[in-house]
Amino acid sequence: MKYAIVLPDGAADEPLPQLGGRTPLEVAKIPHMDWVAAQGRLGLARNVPAGLTPGTDVATLSLLGYDPRRYYSGRAPIEAAARGITVGSDELIFRCNFVTILDGRMRDFTAGHIEQAEAERLIADLNRLAADGEPAFAGCRFYAGVSYRNLLVLSDAATIDLTCAPPHDIPNQPVVEHLPRGSGQERVRRIMQRAAELLRDHEVNRHRREGGRDPVTDIWLWGQGRPRPLESMQERFGLRGAVITGVDILRGLGVMAGMELMDVPGATGYIDTNYAGKGRAAVQALEDFDLVVVHIEAPDEAGHLGDAPEKIKALERIDELIVGPLLTALRGYGDWRMLVAVDHPTPCASTVHDGAPAPFCFAGSDVSPHGGGRFNEKAARASGWIVDPGHEVIEYFLGRRQAPAV
């Protein structure tokens, strides 16, 4: 049996006036996703348990079959796994966003989707200052990631216990109300403050200002935690898996779940990602693996931008260039199943993640059609099937559990 999972990140939304009271999923021309919904099972999954912050980390952990209440370690340790970063027992890993804060408000949690070369230069200079004995950076090791998504490992941090706000959840809000709070807050805030002072007149920002771009004003520390191991997909389900993605959070989850990472040139983790390349890589991976997971960040990024037309475009590209080719390839194997699942909504109106149940559908061998219709929020609600907790979805998809007659 061959299995494929397609994860259009943040694709679910709310009815929008500019779309005639419809959502981007309702408006988008997505015939292949609609086929999966119509020919198989359709429903909603609660991928974010109560009390956890809605995000790709928590929600995708659910969709891969791991209960976040048991396995969630924080976003940063998952991303660290993607880069092979190891830490000591007294160390804490933080996600370290480059951001733009203007007039005391979070104007851009991506610093204008900072270019990779700029980010790597800034990270290198922060590390140089730490090595040179900058007091605020004592015990700091900075790691460059993809664009604005970077990491900080902090030593002598065994007693630190903080509440930190994801920067994408506080757009245009006063940041002073969302600074890290709790044990060790003075130390972590001082790191952030000193970094802002050093960034202010950095050469990277001089060039950005000359080019009419907003500066990279700050680092924002959040998503902290310590590594927590997962059972592999091979151990749990007897499946050899591969992951295709442009972001470290999925790469890290793949590594932790014992899956192979497939690199695709041009997979940016943004709206300009290489959709066709991901589709081709997924089709090729089916030859060697039992399970292929394809994650696409673009709908989530469009939601954060509040750009409904861009979200619709992303969904249509996913359908045409990834879901369509995968369906064709899977049918050639005889026994197959495909799951299309949204991790969480990222509504264009609010531009922030939402923990509401999100739609999923799966079809293939031994899956009886259940009149699901199209793949969208309204049809998923009408199906009457809500999987709560969401980490059970994979059990139904893999045929380990019988879907209820609803």
Side-chain angles (χ1 to χ4, degrees):
M1 181 83 82
K2 294 288 185 178
Y3 300 94
I5 299 176
V6 179
L7 303 172
D9 199 307
D13 213 299
E14 298 171 351
L16 295 167
Q18 65 267 40
L19 299 181
R22 295 176 294 171
T23 68
L25 272 172
E26 291 180 273
V27 172
K29 296 178 176 62
I30 47 173
H32 301 104
M33 295 189 217
D34 287 344
W35 186 92
V36 175
Q39 298 301 314
R41 295 303 304 262
L42 172 68
L44 293 171
R46 186 175 296 281
N47 300 318
V48 181
L52 293 182
T53 301
T56 300
D57 44 6
V58 172
T60 306
L61 195 60
S62 282
L63 287 172
L64 293 179
Y66 300 94
D67 184 350
R69 292 168 298 187
R70 176 181 176 187
Y71 292 105
Y72 183 60
S73 61
R75 176 178 294 238
I78 298 172
E79 295 191 359
R83 304 180 213 170
I85 298 171
T86 58
V87 299
S89 59
D90 70 334
E91 294 185 317
L92 193 60
I93 313 173
F94 287 83
R95 172 73 172 270
C96 177
N97 274 49
F98 283 128
V99 301
T100 299
I101 297 172
L102 299 175
D103 301 321
R105 294 178 178 269
M106 182 65 68
R107 295 303 185 191
D108 191 338
F109 71 88
T110 73
H113 282 274
I114 180 173
E115 295 177 5
Q116 188 66 28
E118 293 177 322
E120 290 177 0
R121 168 74 184 281
L122 294 176
I123 289 293
D125 286 348
L126 289 171
N127 273 326
R128 189 172 299 112
L129 287 165
D132 289 345
E134 164 60 42
F137 292 167
C140 290
R141 302 196 308 276
F142 296 90
Y143 293 86
V146 179
S147 181
Y148 62 92
R149 310 172 181 98
N150 306 285
L151 294 176
L152 165 66
V153 175
L154 187 60
S155 299
D156 300 320
T159 61
I160 289 180
D161 185 12
L162 295 171
T163 298
C164 298
H168 51 257
D169 282 351
I170 54 173
N172 297 313
Q173 295 184 35
V175 298
V176 69
E177 300 173 7
H178 301 282
L179 292 171
R181 301 190 311 276
S183 173
Q185 68 177 39
E186 296 84 1
R187 182 183 178 191
V188 173
R189 290 185 183 189
R190 178 58 181 155
I191 294 169
M192 295 168 66
Q193 178 186 352
R194 185 63 179 133
E197 294 168 357
L198 297 166
L199 290 171
R200 186 174 300 128
D201 297 317
H202 195 281
E203 183 181 7
V204 164
N205 278 327
R206 290 201 297 273
H207 288 313
R208 288 171 69 96
R209 292 187 183 98
E210 290 168 1
R213 295 185 294 158
D214 285 334
V216 183
T217 64
D218 293 78
I219 62 170
W220 191 266
L221 301 179
W222 64 288
Q224 71 279 4
R226 297 177 176 87
R228 186 174 298 176
L230 299 180
E231 301 169 85
S232 73
M233 283 288 187
Q234 181 81 48
E235 292 169 332
R236 299 188 67 208
F237 302 117
L239 299 175
R240 292 184 62 249
V243 176
I244 298 167
T245 181
V247 297
D248 274 346
I249 191 65
L250 263 292
R251 292 173 64 84
L253 287 172
V255 168
M256 294 169 70
M259 294 189 280
E260 295 288 326
L261 303 181
M262 311 296 291
D263 291 324
V264 175
T268 62
Y270 192 49
I271 58 178
D272 62 351
T273 198
N274 184 0
Y275 297 89
K278 286 186 174 184
R280 288 192 295 269
V283 169
Q284 183 176 354
L286 284 174
E287 298 179 7
D288 300 316
F289 296 93
D290 308 307
L291 168 67
V292 177
V293 178
V294 188
H295 168 264
I296 311 95
E297 182 79 2
D300 184 66
E301 293 290 348
H304 285 308
L305 293 170
D307 192 335
E310 189 62 54
K311 194 169 193 177
I312 293 167
K313 187 191 304 183
L315 291 167
E316 292 179 345
R317 288 174 174 171
I318 292 167
D319 190 79
E320 176 189 1
L321 300 173
I322 297 174
V323 178
L326 265 175
L327 270 177
T328 299
L330 283 166
R331 290 175 180 135
Y333 288 98
D335 292 329
W336 63 275
R337 287 192 180 189
M338 173 182 277
L339 168 68
V340 181
V342 180
D343 52 352
H344 57 73
T346 306
C348 290
S350 69
T351 73
V352 300
H353 294 163
D354 192 302
F360 71 90
C361 62
F362 62 86
S365 303
D366 300 321
V367 179
S368 300
H370 211 268
R374 296 196 60 211
F375 182 62
N376 58 52
E377 303 86 352
K378 183 184 295 185
R381 284 194 298 271
S383 74
W385 188 23
I386 299 180
V387 179
D388 186 0
H391 67 266
E392 294 179 354
V393 166
I394 201 166
E395 300 275 351
Y396 296 108
F397 166 58
L398 297 177
R400 269 59 170 182
R401 187 178 299 199
Q402 185 66 37
V406 294

